[in-house]
Amino acid sequence: MSKICTLSETGELLKQANTIVIVSHVSPDGDTLGSSLALMHALRSLGKEVVMNVDDDIPAVYSFLPGIQEYRRFAAGEAVEADLLVVIDASSADRAGNALEVVNASAVMNIDHHKTNTHFADYLYLDADAAATAEIIYSLLLTMAVPLNIDMATCIYEGLYTDTGSFKYSNTTSNTLATAAALLKLGVNPSTISDNMEVKSRHQVEMLSEALKTLTFLHDGRVAFVEIAPELYDHNIDTDTFVSYPRYIEGVEIALLFKQVEENLTRVSFRSKAVDVAKIALSFGGGGHQKAAGCSICAPLKEAEKTVLKALEELFV
C-alpha cells in the first residue's frame, strides 16, 4: 500500500534523489508523454540525472515534443540503478511495463489522476479531480519553485490537450483552462500542438478506413466497437482516436476499440457517455476514468473481444 503524499512531499522526494528513472505508461498517449517530459526537463534543470523509459513504441505523432528522443526501452534482463523510479499517469503496475523489474530503485513513486489507481507504488500523489496528470505536473513544478521554460510548457500543454479532447471533454475545468492560459503566457503556441496532433498521415487514414469496416453494433445499438487485426496493426500509427468514431454515433452508450498488438496481447479502449467503464477496465487489470478507460488482455483479438463483450452483457440484461 502506498504512502499518500502531498504535493510538497512529492517535490521534496524528487529533490532528494540524484538519479531518477521516469516511466511513461504502455500504449503511451500525450498526457503520459507530455507529463513525463516536462518533469524530465524540470529535474535536469535542477542537476538531476534522469533516464526516460516507456516499454512500448511511441507513435510518430508525438515526435514534435521537446525531448521525445530521450526515451529508451529497457531490454529484458537489463539492470538499471536509480535512487527513485517515478511512474507517470499509470493507475496500475502493469501499465509501467517491465520497469518495475528492470530498475533497482530505493523507492517507487507514482504520480497519477486516475480514480482506479491501485496504490502499487511506495509513494503516491493522486488527484482524481485533475483533468490530466499534466495539470498535476504544472502544480508540482510551481510548488518546487522550478522556473518553467517553453519546453516544459509545451509538454504540459500537450498533456492537457490530449486528456481533455482538445478542451471539449467534461473533465475540462476552470483550473484546466487557467493552467492552459498560464502556459500560453509562457509562449506556447496552441496551433503548434493542434497542427501536429490533428494532421493525419495517409497510412493512418487508410488504417482507419479498414478499421471502420469492422464496425459492429450490439444490444440494440447501445454498444459499438471497431477492431484492428494483427495484420492491419502498425505500431508507428497513432490509433487512440479511432474509438471516437463509434463513440459519437447516436444511440451508442459504450464504444470500444480492440487492437491486437502482439501474438497474445490485445489492448482495449473503452469510451462512454455515462456508464462507468473504468469499473469494467479495472476488472481486467486496467483502469482509467468513468467515461474513458482501457486495459490489456493476454489473448488474441477474437478471444479478447469475446471475454470483454461477455462482461458487458450484464449491463444490458
Side-chain angles (χ1 to χ4, degrees), residues 214 216 225 227 229 260 266 299-307 309:
T214 71
T216 303
F225 70 87
E227 65 182 42
Q260 184 174 333
T266 299
L301 180 69
K302 293 301 180 181
E303 184 179 335
E305 286 180 3
K306 183 177 180 180
T307 300
L309 294 174

Side-chain angles (χ1 to χ4, degrees), residues 186-312:
L186 288 169
V188 172
N189 184 343
S191 67
T192 299
I193 308 297
S194 61
D195 286 350
N196 279 281
M197 293 302 299
E198 301 303 329
V199 171
K200 307 293 188 291
S201 70
R202 174 177 173 177
H203 293 305
Q204 185 179 19
V205 174
E206 289 172 344
M207 181 183 286
L208 173 61
S209 175
E210 292 301 313
L212 289 177
K213 292 178 182 178
T214 71
L215 179 63
T216 303
F217 295 94
L218 300 171
H219 303 291
D220 298 320
R222 297 166 71 186
V223 174
F225 70 87
V226 292
E227 65 182 42
I228 299 175
E231 61 269 20
L232 181 61
Y233 176 68
D234 183 341
H235 66 82
N236 290 311
I237 296 178
D238 178 25
T239 59
D240 286 346
T241 60
F242 286 17
V243 71
S244 296
Y245 289 85
R247 177 184 193 176
Y248 290 116
I249 295 174
E250 184 177 4
V252 172
E253 297 175 17
I254 299 177
L256 304 97
L257 167 66
F258 295 94
K259 175 175 62 177
Q260 184 174 333
V261 298
E262 296 178 12
E263 183 178 358
N264 287 296
L265 181 61
T266 299
R267 297 220 166 103
V268 189
S269 297
F270 301 84
R271 298 292 185 271
S272 79
K273 294 183 174 72
V275 177
D276 190 349
V277 291
K279 290 182 179 179
I280 304 169
L282 186 62
S283 70
F284 291 105
H289 308 285
Q290 177 177 329
K291 299 180 181 180
C295 66
S296 296
I297 307 289
C298 293
L301 180 69
K302 293 301 180 181
E303 184 179 335
E305 286 180 3
K306 183 177 180 180
T307 300
V308 173
L309 294 174
K310 183 175 178 59
L312 292 180

Side-chain angles (χ1 to χ4, degrees), residues 1-61:
M1 186 60 66
S2 303
K3 178 188 184 305
I4 305 301
C5 297
T6 65
L7 209 56
S8 295
E9 289 171 336
T10 302
E12 284 304 311
L13 287 167
L14 289 167
K15 287 181 176 180
Q16 290 168 13
N18 292 313
T19 57
I20 301 168
V21 176
I22 298 178
V23 179
S24 293
H25 64 65
V26 295
S27 192
D29 60 16
D31 190 23
T32 192
L33 295 172
S35 298
S36 299
L37 288 169
L39 184 58
M40 176 199 76
H41 289 300
L43 293 175
R44 286 185 176 176
S45 75
L46 298 177
K48 308 297 183 182
E49 180 182 341
V50 182
V51 174
M52 301 295 291
N53 165 256
V54 61
D55 190 20
D56 208 340
D57 298 303
I58 299 175
V61 68

Side-chain angles (χ1 to χ4, degrees), residues 58-213:
I58 299 175
V61 68
Y62 300 112
S63 60
F64 74 97
L65 287 174
I68 195 74
Q69 72 282 353
E70 296 294 323
Y71 275 100
R72 51 173 300 217
R73 193 170 185 176
F74 296 142
E78 187 175 353
V80 177
E81 299 291 328
D83 296 329
L84 187 64
L85 172 63
V86 185
V87 183
I88 300 292
D89 193 42
S91 59
S92 55
D94 65 302
R95 300 285 283 162
N98 65 357
L100 295 175
E101 290 76 44
V102 167
V103 180
N104 179 24
S106 301
V108 178
M109 173 189 288
N110 181 207
I111 302 174
D112 188 32
H113 73 129
H114 297 96
K115 69 174 185 177
T116 56
N117 193 284
T118 59
H119 296 226
F120 65 90
D122 300 310
Y123 300 100
L124 171 65
Y125 182 83
L126 176 65
D127 182 358
D129 293 325
T133 298
E135 194 171 307
I136 298 172
I137 295 298
Y138 176 76
S139 298
L140 175 62
L141 300 190
L142 293 183
T143 299
M144 295 174 66
V146 175
L148 272 72
N149 59 31
I150 187 61
D151 287 347
M152 299 176 207
T154 298
C155 292
I156 293 171
Y157 190 95
E158 165 64 20
L160 297 178
Y161 183 93
T162 298
D163 264 25
T164 61
S166 60
F167 304 101
K168 67 176 181 286
Y169 293 164
S170 60
N171 61 337
T172 305
T173 67
S174 59
N175 187 66
T176 308
L177 296 177
T179 301
L183 298 171
L184 295 184
K185 290 181 180 178
L186 288 169
V188 172
N189 184 343
S191 67
T192 299
I193 308 297
S194 61
D195 286 350
N196 279 281
M197 293 302 299
E198 301 303 329
V199 171
K200 307 293 188 291
S201 70
R202 174 177 173 177
H203 293 305
Q204 185 179 19
V205 174
E206 289 172 344
M207 181 183 286
L208 173 61
S209 175
E210 292 301 313
L212 289 177
K213 292 178 182 178

